């Protein structure tokens, strides 16, 4: 296992329409063209949030979003470096590995204005949807997958997610950062260039709030961090471990909600990616890449999935005990059979799963990884 | 508005494999054939639940479910009355409107056995998945829609849901009953005969628990039931009301999570369908039918949707203040564009919506209902 340092290079830029662009590279970043934007018009986002009084959660409204990019013709890829200046994309030509820029159709913005008083009675609380929505382009290779990144690039991505979290926390307006990748036409993905997104909230959303409360309760009752206890028990049991790289491991959790749900965890209980040292990031990156490769090889098709990176709250909401981990929800429960969220999942908040996690983990361990 | 009584007839039967079958009719129920079952084998369901310690919710495991009926060839419809005794379906021939029977592939059963101790360390709490899963066949018309039911049949369905809730509560083992319909190939529906399902839980699931807590908090702070305050404010504001039949109404709630999300509510704050009198049931039924018809006419295609019936906890968990209502989640947010639950919805528990509820309600009010 290498423990060489993981240096990376950063360049902060601004698009012609005012949006932020940050380029990250394993080598020094170099630009070979102007910084482009698909449209010169500044983003006029006025997202608002309304309170759902029965579910106790915020709902984001951004009426400009309906016109957003949707399955564009194959010749135009807004996430590729601009090759024809007459048809600018989101990214310049140059030397860089990963690019992060502000979403042109954000559900949350740092400058969201206070909504005007409506002409009608509103019947719930409404406020500015303060936060930030970013796009993370994983690679300049338009037809690749996240798991096609080199080990170094995958470790760089962990560093990028960590850096974005720190940058967003430093605004003083952000309390929780969620990085995710949604992949597959089956689940509505409109751009096939490998990319993910970041949602940064000015509050701690329900899922993170629940996870934090549950982990704090565990610590109060047992005296040890939830993540440490969980990793130890999974290693002792062994039946649900997919791959163990020492400093990081992957498991099908014993309470998996999706059939082949895969969690990637660090061995050491921390709350933020930025707390991992370079060796831990490298091990975590190898395990993540391995997990994604296994899911693609399981049925011999590129597995549609949602991957979410769960980190501790930041800023004023920062707290110990939140278990850093990545959750991958593969949408195929069998060849050709998608999992849909129906009555019990959406109406009651409880999942029904067709297969025991021990069996799913066994299948994932046995997979022969093929290049798809 | 009619206020004639809503009588209905019931016959309790048992299938050859031991499952319960109940037939409901506006006219006296009459059987013209034996009670069938697609298979003579008794259901050997041993579902278990495991506790998700970070999300604080139960997950159901039923490994036999993976082999369940999936897009059968068009000539065989297990929900139609049996026409050929060599190929029995779930239902007999006869005079009845609505049929309810135990799901052959249940995620929850009243007799779920205590799971045996696993050979490996489990790393979470596991227990029998006690409850009940029922199938509700809305009509003998295989190609119809729920909204093709007559007004009387629609009111009967409300009576059936109410009766099932009472019957399940009377077992002494059920604490919450969720009736729902999931419609559309787009969202994984395997049988096109109009039908819904019922999940009966031995505990109050997270969504119902949150709704109850929020409504109780509102009552404690304001002194009035949440449902009464909500209906009054929606009527005063008027902009989100789709149809108002006096004793019941439909609205796009001001905090809609889906673009054309529609709620059907009674005017009088109650927690259970069984608390509605006949006139209220009839008005509620007309509003529900109207809401479904508008959604089908909105884009000129049968709208894929999830409909969930939210009722108060029952049995020992029974409590006032829970607001009875139906939520309909239409999955199309624009013609040909499905809504998918991606990072923020699944990873954070907060929805992003492209359109303000006031605009969606305006569009639904303007719809010219066509027969699709």
């Amino acid at each position: 296992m290498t423990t060489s340092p993981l240096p990376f290079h950063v360049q902060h830029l601004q698009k012609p329409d005012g949006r932020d662009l940050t380029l990250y590279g394993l080598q020094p970043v170099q630009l070979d063209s102007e910084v482009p934007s698909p449209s010169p018009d500044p983003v006029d986002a006025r997202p608002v949030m309304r309170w759902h009084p029965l579910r106790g959660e915020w709902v984001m409204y951004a009426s400009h979003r309906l016109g957003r990019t949707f399955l564009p013709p194959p010749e135009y890829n807004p996430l590729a470096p601009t090759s024809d200046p007459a048809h600018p994309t989101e990214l310049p030509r140059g030397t860089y590995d990963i690019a992060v820029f502000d979403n042109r159709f954000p559900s949350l913005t740092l400058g969201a204005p206070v909504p005007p008083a409506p002409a009608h009675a509103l019947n719930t609380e409404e406020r500015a949807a303060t936060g930030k929505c970013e796009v993370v382009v994983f690679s300049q290779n338009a037809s690749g997958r996240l798991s096609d990144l080199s080990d170094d690039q995958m470790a760089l991505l962990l560093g990028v997610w960590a850096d974005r979290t720190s940058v967003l926390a430093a605004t003083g307006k952000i309390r929780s950062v969620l990085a995710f990748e949604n992949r597959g036409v089956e689940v509505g993905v409109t751009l096939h260039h490998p990319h993910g997104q970041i949602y940064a909230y000015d509050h701690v959303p329900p899922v993170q709030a629940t996870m934090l409360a549950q982990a704090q309760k565990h610590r109060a009752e047992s005296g040890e961090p939830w993540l440490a206890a969980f990793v130890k028990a999974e290693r002792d049991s062994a039946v649900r471990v997919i791959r163990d790289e020492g400093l990081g491991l992957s498991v099908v959790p014993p309470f998996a909600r999706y059939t082949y749900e895969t969690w990637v965890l660090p061995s050491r209980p921390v709350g933020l990616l930025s707390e991992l040292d370079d060796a831990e990031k490298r091990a975590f990156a190898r395990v993540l890449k391995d997990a994604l490769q296994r899911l693609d090889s399981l049925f011999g098709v590129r597995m549609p999935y949602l991957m979410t990176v769960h980190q501790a709250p930041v800023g004023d909401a920062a707290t110990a005990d939140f278990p850093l981990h990545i959750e991958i929800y593969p949408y195929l429960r069998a060849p050709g059979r998608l999992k849909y969220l129906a009555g019990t999942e959406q109406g009651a908040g409880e999942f029904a799963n067709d297969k025991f996690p021990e069996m799913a983990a066994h299948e994932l361990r046995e997979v022969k990884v093929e290049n798809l």
Side-chain angles (χ1 to χ4, degrees), chain A:
Chain A
M1 184 185 304
T2 173
T3 52
S4 68
L6 181 71
F8 64 87
H9 303 269
V10 188
Q11 188 162 353
H12 295 286
L13 301 157
Q14 198 169 43
K15 286 168 166 288
D17 59 12
R19 288 179 294 144
D20 291 332
L21 168 67
T22 310
L23 301 178
Y24 295 86
L26 292 165
Q27 308 302 323
V29 172
Q30 187 183 316
L31 262 68
D32 297 333
S33 73
E34 298 289 308
V35 173
S37 183
S39 161
D41 302 333
V43 172
D44 180 29
R46 301 163 179 276
V48 303
M49 283 181 184
R50 292 182 179 178
W51 181 246
H52 192 310
L54 285 187
R55 286 187 180 250
E57 63 194 41
W58 292 103
V59 184
M60 296 163 264
Y61 296 89
S63 55
H64 56 280
R65 275 172 54 88
L66 205 56
R68 70 180 184 272
T69 311
F70 184 74
L71 286 179
E75 67 270 17
Y76 180 75
N77 172 2
L79 303 185
T82 298
S83 54
D84 175 4
H87 296 99
T89 68
E90 291 283 10
L91 296 178
R93 294 193 304 281
T95 304
Y96 57 89
D97 291 284
I98 293 174
V100 179
F101 58 85
D102 294 349
N103 196 317
R104 202 149 62 94
F105 307 100
S107 298
L108 303 162
T109 65
L110 283 176
V114 174
H120 48 81
L122 188 53
N123 204 9
T124 194
E125 188 183 346
E126 184 180 65
R127 67 180 182 91
T130 303
K132 205 151 189 274
C133 290
E134 298 183 332
V135 177
V136 181
V137 180
F138 296 148
S139 162
Q140 292 196 29
N141 175 10
S143 61
R145 305 167 295 178
L146 174 54
S147 58
D148 290 327
L149 263 55
S150 70
D151 286 357
D152 279 353
Q153 289 171 324
M154 199 66 129
L156 173 64
L157 176 59
L158 298 181
V160 168
W161 283 334
D163 187 58
R164 298 317 305 166
T165 304
S166 302
V167 166
L168 289 161
T171 65
K173 293 185 172 185
I174 298 302
R175 298 292 169 263
S176 185
V177 177
L178 180 77
F180 62 93
E181 182 196 12
N182 200 31
R183 194 186 74 169
V185 180
E186 300 90 336
V187 290
V189 175
T190 54
L191 296 170
H192 304 312
H193 192 120
H195 73 287
Q197 296 184 55
I198 289 173
Y199 268 53
Y201 306 87
D202 71 349
H203 60 285
V204 182
V207 169
Q208 282 67 34
T210 302
M211 287 180 173
L212 177 60
Q214 294 287 113
Q216 287 176 327
K217 191 173 155 217
H218 180 274
R219 162 86 91 164
E221 288 169 1
S222 71
E224 68 181 341
W226 183 86
L227 186 55
F230 180 76
V231 166
K232 179 176 187 310
E234 286 307 300
R235 281 183 167 151
D236 286 350
S237 163
V239 289
R240 288 172 297 269
V241 175
I242 302 168
R243 178 134 175 180
D244 194 338
E245 289 260 355
L247 297 176
L249 71 161
S250 55
V251 303
V252 179
F255 41 80
R257 302 184 304 154
Y258 285 86
T259 306
Y260 295 96
E261 182 169 332
T262 301
W263 287 28
V264 178
L265 310 129
S267 292
R268 186 166 62 90
V270 298
L272 294 165
L273 284 167
S274 59
E275 295 175 73
L276 297 179
D277 66 27
D278 285 349
E280 287 171 321
K281 278 203 191 77
R282 287 184 187 280
F284 200 93
R286 283 196 304 274
V287 173
L288 176 58
K289 180 173 166 172
D290 175 79
L292 295 173
Q293 287 175 329
R294 286 175 191 275
L295 289 171
D296 279 0
S297 297
L298 181 64
F299 302 134
V301 296
R302 289 193 177 192
M303 174 69 84
Y305 66 77
L306 173 65
M307 174 179 71
T308 48
V309 182
H310 293 270
Q311 294 190 87
V314 296
D316 288 350
T319 176
D321 290 338
F322 188 100
L324 166 68
H325 68 286
I326 290 180
E327 300 187 9
I328 305 168
Y329 306 153
Y331 287 116
L332 288 174
R333 57 191 176 86
R337 296 197 189 179
L338 284 167
K339 168 70 178 176
Y340 295 93
L341 304 189
T344 187
E345 287 91 0
Q346 291 204 60
E350 293 189 359
F351 277 57
N353 186 339
D354 289 330
K355 186 172 284 192
F356 280 92
E358 294 74 26
M359 177 58 69
H362 173 77
E363 293 177 39
L364 287 169
R365 272 196 307 272
E366 298 296 308
V367 156
K368 188 178 174 308
V369 171
E370 292 163 22
N371 204 20
L372 295 170

